[in-house]
Amino acid sequence: MSSISALNAIHNKGLFGDHEGKNDDELLKVSELKDFLIIQIVKYKSSLTAIQNIKIDNLSLKNETLNINCNTNTRILWNGPNTWLLVSSKKEILKEINEKLVEADFAITNISHSRTIIQIEGKNTKEILKKGCPFNFNELKKDTCLNSTYNGMSVTIDMLDDNPDKVRIFTLRSFGEFFYHSITDACLEFGYKGV
């Protein structure tokens, strides 16, 4: 069974907003990311398992606020106390997760089809985020993340890089279309390229 993206008929490619006379590197780049495995991992309060001994795709589950542990294919985002969001381009990692995280100690939920992911890249990325989110984005650095709201919608923001700024924003699929329009409207001021 194949899934249809929440932005399948919405995301437009091309140049939009104040783009005239600007070089490609001056424009924001907005894209929809698809085909990622997204797993929510929650350690039960009653569990005595030490997370320090667990590695998934050679990555530890760190219980550190705003922390991300990552490699080329997989990112494990701290999502709350004993709660993580694992995002991977490797679908076969699900087998490893099920083998290493015992059902009696962890709740494992595949939320891949219930999320929309929008990626924004460019020097004005944090300015776009500031328009709809109450977080102090001057504090956000590479390989950190946060849960917040953007124009009233619940989001998870993953800072992939800070030279230039590059973020992935996760929201519920049901908010996908409204969220996309909210983000792209905020990008018009700087000019953006839909890729």
Side-chain angles (χ1 to χ4, degrees), residues 4-8 11 30-34 115-119 180 195:
I4 297 174
S5 145
L7 304 178
N8 184 49
H11 178 58
V30 177
S31 57
E32 179 197 16
L33 301 181
K34 304 181 256 186
R115 296 294 184 268
T116 296
I117 309 170
I118 294 176
Q119 183 167 287
Y180 175 81
V195 292

Side-chain angles (χ1 to χ4, degrees), residues 40-157:
Q40 183 182 44
I41 301 168
V42 179
K43 180 182 171 192
Y44 295 132
K45 287 181 183 179
S46 61
S47 173
L48 300 176
T49 301
I51 60 169
Q52 296 82 359
N53 302 328
I54 299 171
K55 288 196 183 242
I56 300 168
D57 197 17
N58 232 8
L59 299 171
S60 304
L61 297 174
K62 292 186 179 178
N63 211 9
E64 298 171 17
T65 307
L66 307 179
N67 185 277
I68 294 176
N69 202 359
C70 61
N71 60 30
T72 310
N73 301 308
T74 304
R75 296 177 69 78
I76 301 176
L77 290 67
W78 180 86
N79 223 217
N82 289 314
T83 305
W84 302 268
L85 203 62
L86 182 142
V87 181
S88 184
S89 58
K90 293 170 58 176
K91 304 281 171 119
E92 65 275 7
I93 201 170
L94 189 54
K95 182 180 179 195
E96 182 182 356
I97 292 168
N98 289 325
E99 288 171 357
K100 292 185 176 178
L101 303 178
V102 181
E103 197 173 296
D105 294 318
F106 295 91
I108 309 300
T109 310
N110 187 339
I111 58 173
S112 304
H113 299 301
S114 69
R115 296 294 184 268
T116 296
I117 309 170
I118 294 176
Q119 183 167 287
I120 307 172
E121 180 179 357
K123 67 179 182 178
N124 291 309
T125 297
K126 287 182 180 176
E127 296 305 313
I128 300 306
L129 297 173
K130 289 174 186 177
K131 288 183 177 189
C133 183
F135 186 78
N136 178 4
F137 285 100
N138 297 326
E139 303 288 319
L140 195 65
K141 305 291 182 222
K142 179 179 178 180
D143 293 334
T144 58
C145 62
L146 70 124
N147 293 316
S148 191
T149 59
Y150 190 90
N151 290 340
M153 293 167 281
S154 176
V155 295
T156 298
I157 300 172

